[in-house]
Amino acid sequence: MIHYSGNVSIQLNVNREIHEVVVMPQDTLLRVMREKIGYTGPKAGCENGDCGACTVLMDGKPVKACLMLAVEAVGKEVLTVEGLEDTEIQKAFISEGGFQCGFCTAGFLMNAFALLETNPDADEAEKKDWLSANLCRCTGYEGIEKALTLAQKRIQEKNNNKR
Amino acid sequence: MNTKDGIGTSLTRKESLDKVSGRVIYGGDNMTPQMLYAAQKTSPHAHAKIIKIDTEKAKGMKGIKAIFTGDDYKDNLGLYLCDKPPVARNVVRHYGEVVAAVVADTYANATAAADAIAVEYEVMKPILSPLEALSDDAYTIHEEMGSYSHIKPIHPEPGTNVANRTKIRKGNPTEAFKSAHVTIETFVEIPPGDHVAMEPRVAIAEIKKTGYVHILSSTQAPFVVKGLMHQFFGIDQGKIIVKAPLIGGGFGGKAGIQLEGLAYLLSQKVGGRPVKLVNTREEDLTGSPGHIGLQAKIKIAADAEGKIMGMDMDYYFNSGAYADYAVNVSRAAAISCTGPYYVPNIRCDSMCVYTNMPFATAYRGFGHIEMSFAVERAMDELANALKMDPLELRIKNGIKPHDTTPVQSVLNESTGDIIKCFEEVGAMLGGDIGATQQLENNTVRVKGVTGLWKAPAMPTNTDAGAILTFNSDGSCNLNTGVVEIGQGTKTGLAQIVSERLGIPVDKVHVVMEVDTSVSPSDWATAASRGLMMAGMATLEACEDAENQIKEIASAVLRVPKRDLKVDGERVFVPDEPKIGLNLSEVVLGYVYPNGNAIYGQVIGSGKYIAKHLTDLDPETGEGHPDLEWTLGAEGVEIEVNLNTGKYKILKAVCCIDVGKVISPALARGQIVGGMAMGMGYTTMEGFTFNDRGQVTNGVLRDYKIMRYGDEPEYQVKFLETPQQDGPYGARGLGEQSVIGMPGAIANALSRAVGKGMNQIPLTPEKVWKTSMEVKR
């Protein structure tokens, strides 16, 4: 078990770059990313694990960055929305109206991206299981559902072409 | 027009790529090394005297720059009625009320110090409903009401808990009820709740040595903030600079004034340094204002054919502890108190009543969602009493052009076609609205319908403006005061420019941030009036720019102005198109081959102000406060298991007459989003309280809103009866679809259980209980 106390210098791998930061052990990953590294894509919607706006991937799995300590991310690969580049889910969110105000979008994108990476053939129940971890207040979820369906279709087509 | 991007095309939002890449900078994303951070301490009690606030320990803690309590500022703040100290002074009037604020070098240090502040309270009994607040033995929540300043159109009643009363008197309702064939009476209740915009409110304030006050805020109303900062603190209007970046959802909760006043006072306490004040989610839910609650008694008189003869209504709006926007919400509900039905005889008292609950501000629908729930439950009761199809009853009474509204203004031809809306909704639901379809396992399938209407509730001089400047490539920049809160108005306005001037929308650049020192004045991004009013201003700016372009071209081409046309990024003679110039050659002035130049930059400007609006007569409500009416109808189909009370909304439908659809995808987004909000409001939301008035669901884990997978199938239809004074015939549509959902869902569930379901939220538990009662 690693013990931390007082200010500690740690290395965080965020979006494929190593960032050296000084943190307190109680600092959350969300606040360290936003305030010390400069990734403001993940949002503080509740800082209580309820809204999912801060969702990032840690070694490919979605986690709520407001419920993780920065020191827990040492040695892991963290991916934020700023690290997504031209993905199917981003394109589908734009074309299908997956957002309005955009505040929840980073969290939804990361969660949906991870779902399609983990199981591109996820059925409706599994999609609901994953995406009900995030809250959106603008869209009524119609655009998000359509975006997920479209991105999934495109990914499945790509995978079929590879076979 | 030679562009594919004009009116009626679905374009992606201008800011799309930044939004899916985490590159939009919202208010809370702003951080500078100079910044100080604030934290708030809130009351755990709903009603208490503040005996003592001990800040000694907190003062000595690390990084603390200032502590602010009620004694630090002697005056009240308030949007329409100045009833609220920036933080509680001597008394706490609602759970979650801010009692102290701390400024420190870091947010962590600020919160640690806020925790260390010790407040001694003498807890008192709270008032927890409007009717309780109006009872004879109720104490007065605002003893000093008589001394509060307020705007003229509201009518506080000092010595009582009534912060405003709007009276509607039309025709002779007493006579109508006497001669009616049938009368019904119903009572409904809605708890206060919250907008739950995903972005908690934020304000950053800085006072420069020159006296300029810079405020960056998650506000829907930067110009209102500017005006009120002048009014409250005496700052010169020209020295107040309010910036509104893109906002993470508003829904009315970020209109008016929110955290800006306190942020300014905190900055003042630390020598003007920038202070960042961000609500935690819990503070956003119960410290800052939420949506209003309601108790309402409503009676309808009708003849044997189902024609409504009169309505008698008392709306008791639950303002909570402070008035904020609530005094105008109750007034707006009075203006449209009958719902979208023609009623010749009316008595209505719409009251804004103080209680010891979290206070209320504007919320999508602005009094209409609450009013509509009461009216539409009553309409279904009336249909039951008349043994009439609920849709037929509504069609029979739907309001039409030339009818008078409750405030006796006459609807004009620009008013939408509600009869057609009802018919479309009936068709989308497969007709037979009053039927109950029995399925296996004590499960039933039921439908419910409602009508809806709304006019913007706003000052009589509500304005908008637009400035259009040009770049050397012939592209243009549109600057308006409309805030981008997720609704997409900026993209819609770009489409209007594209349509009007024939410039591809990619070359119409919009200024996303609003800055009151450079953006043209715009009352507020509220009341569903942004596209209509800023749209008209934008059209005028286009016309101005076009005129200037023609003037330059006229000189260069030696052609009269009237023979020129602007389209396809050119100015030219239509019947000899070779005679012309590219816009890029003229918009920064024309340069002759020898270097001589004329004219300079094309700068188009346009403005709009509401016309012919008046306030209401205080005794009868007569007046013309209603600029334009958007009408529509909604419905749901629900499957209910009567053994468990669990139900699923299978389908939610809406037909709405929006005048003209500028962007189908954006318009549908607003309608569907509003329907979802209305469904959450009706089925699961609202604050819960214990008998001490403490909110027991003041965190998002307990305050439920709809999640992914809860959504039904949405069906949306648009009608286009043109708004003759709107841009290309368009009128407002941002709020309307929220309005009809509570009534539609409640009407369907009432049918399922065989008894009126009149208390929101309509949880499965309530459905089950009511169903059990009816069985016995």
Side-chain angles (χ1 to χ4, degrees), chain B residues 492-530:
Chain B
L493 293 174
Q495 273 181 275
I496 286 175
V497 173
S498 175
E499 175 83 26
R500 179 66 183 76
L501 292 180
I503 299 173
V505 85
D506 285 347
K507 293 180 88 170
V508 182
H509 308 287
V510 292
V511 183
M512 280 290 167
E513 185 180 75
V514 174
D515 175 334
T516 57
S517 67
V518 294
S519 306
S521 176
D522 182 294
W523 168 60
T525 302
S528 306
R529 40 64 69 187

Side-chain angles (χ1 to χ4, degrees), chain B residues 588-658:
Chain B
L588 289 189
Y590 182 78
V591 184
Y592 288 92
N594 73 350
N596 292 175
I598 56 164
Y599 206 91
Q601 189 183 23
V602 172
I603 302 174
S605 71
K607 48 197 171 291
Y608 177 93
I609 195 157
K611 63 174 185 289
H612 288 176
L613 298 189
T614 66
D615 289 325
L616 305 179
D617 182 286
E619 293 309 316
T620 65
E622 197 174 343
H624 181 38
D626 40 344
L627 185 73
E628 38 104 16
W629 290 91
T630 303
L631 278 73
E634 294 189 296
V636 289
E637 183 172 18
I638 306 181
E639 201 167 286
V640 192
N641 182 324
L642 295 173
N643 291 334
T644 62
K646 279 192 183 168
Y647 62 92
K648 166 89 186 153
I649 303 176
L650 304 173
K651 196 197 260 189
V653 306
C654 176
C655 178
I656 181 164
D657 195 334
V658 299

Side-chain angles (χ1 to χ4, degrees), chain A residues 31 34-35 40-41 43-51 67 81-82 90 93-95 99-106 108-109 124 127-128 131-142 144-146 148, chain B residues 12-13 15-17 19-22 24-26 28-29 31 107 194-196 198-200 247-249 251 281-282 363 485-486 668-670 672-673 676-677 685 699-701 705-711 714:
Chain A
R31 284 200 171 250
R34 285 176 54 81
E35 295 166 9
T40 55
K43 300 298 181 206
C46 69
E47 298 196 271
N48 217 354
D50 297 325
C51 78
L67 294 183
V81 69
E82 288 97 332
Q90 284 169 296
F93 259 62
I94 293 176
S95 68
F99 57 87
Q100 288 179 20
C101 83
F103 201 82
C104 73
T105 311
F108 266 102
L109 283 172
E124 293 309 315
K127 287 187 210 168
K128 181 177 170 172
L131 291 194
S132 60
N134 297 60
L135 291 175
C136 167
R137 194 56 156 167
C138 295
T139 62
Y141 301 102
E142 183 183 61
I144 296 172
E145 192 191 331
K146 280 188 191 162
L148 184 56
Chain B
T12 55
R13 298 159 182 274
E15 73 284 11
S16 286
L17 263 175
K19 277 188 175 166
V20 298
S21 308
V24 168
I25 301 299
Y26 297 87
D29 298 335
M31 290 165 243
Y107 179 69
D194 197 71
H195 311 76
V196 196
M198 294 318 301
E199 174 199 33
I247 308 301
F251 316 112
R281 175 55 64 183
E282 292 71 29
Y363 175 80
I485 60 176
R668 184 183 169 92
Q670 286 302 294
V672 166
M677 211 163 182
E685 293 187 33
V699 294
L700 278 191
R701 191 151 305 175
I705 66 171
M706 267 176 66
R707 284 183 183 268
Y708 184 94
D710 292 342
E711 72 276 15
Y714 298 101

Side-chain angles (χ1 to χ4, degrees), chain B residues 516-575:
Chain B
T516 57
S517 67
V518 294
S519 306
S521 176
D522 182 294
W523 168 60
T525 302
S528 306
R529 40 64 69 187
L531 185 71
M532 179 178 162
M533 297 194 187
M536 289 310 286
T538 297
L539 278 177
E540 193 174 281
C542 288
E543 199 176 303
D544 186 15
E546 183 186 53
N547 194 40
Q548 294 172 36
I549 290 165
K550 284 181 180 175
E551 197 168 315
I552 307 169
S554 165
V556 175
L557 301 171
R558 283 162 278 184
V559 187
K561 261 170 80 178
R562 63 172 179 276
D563 290 352
L564 290 168
K565 183 176 160 76
V566 176
D567 198 2
E569 300 180 74
R570 277 172 59 77
V571 50
F572 58 96
V573 178
D575 50 5

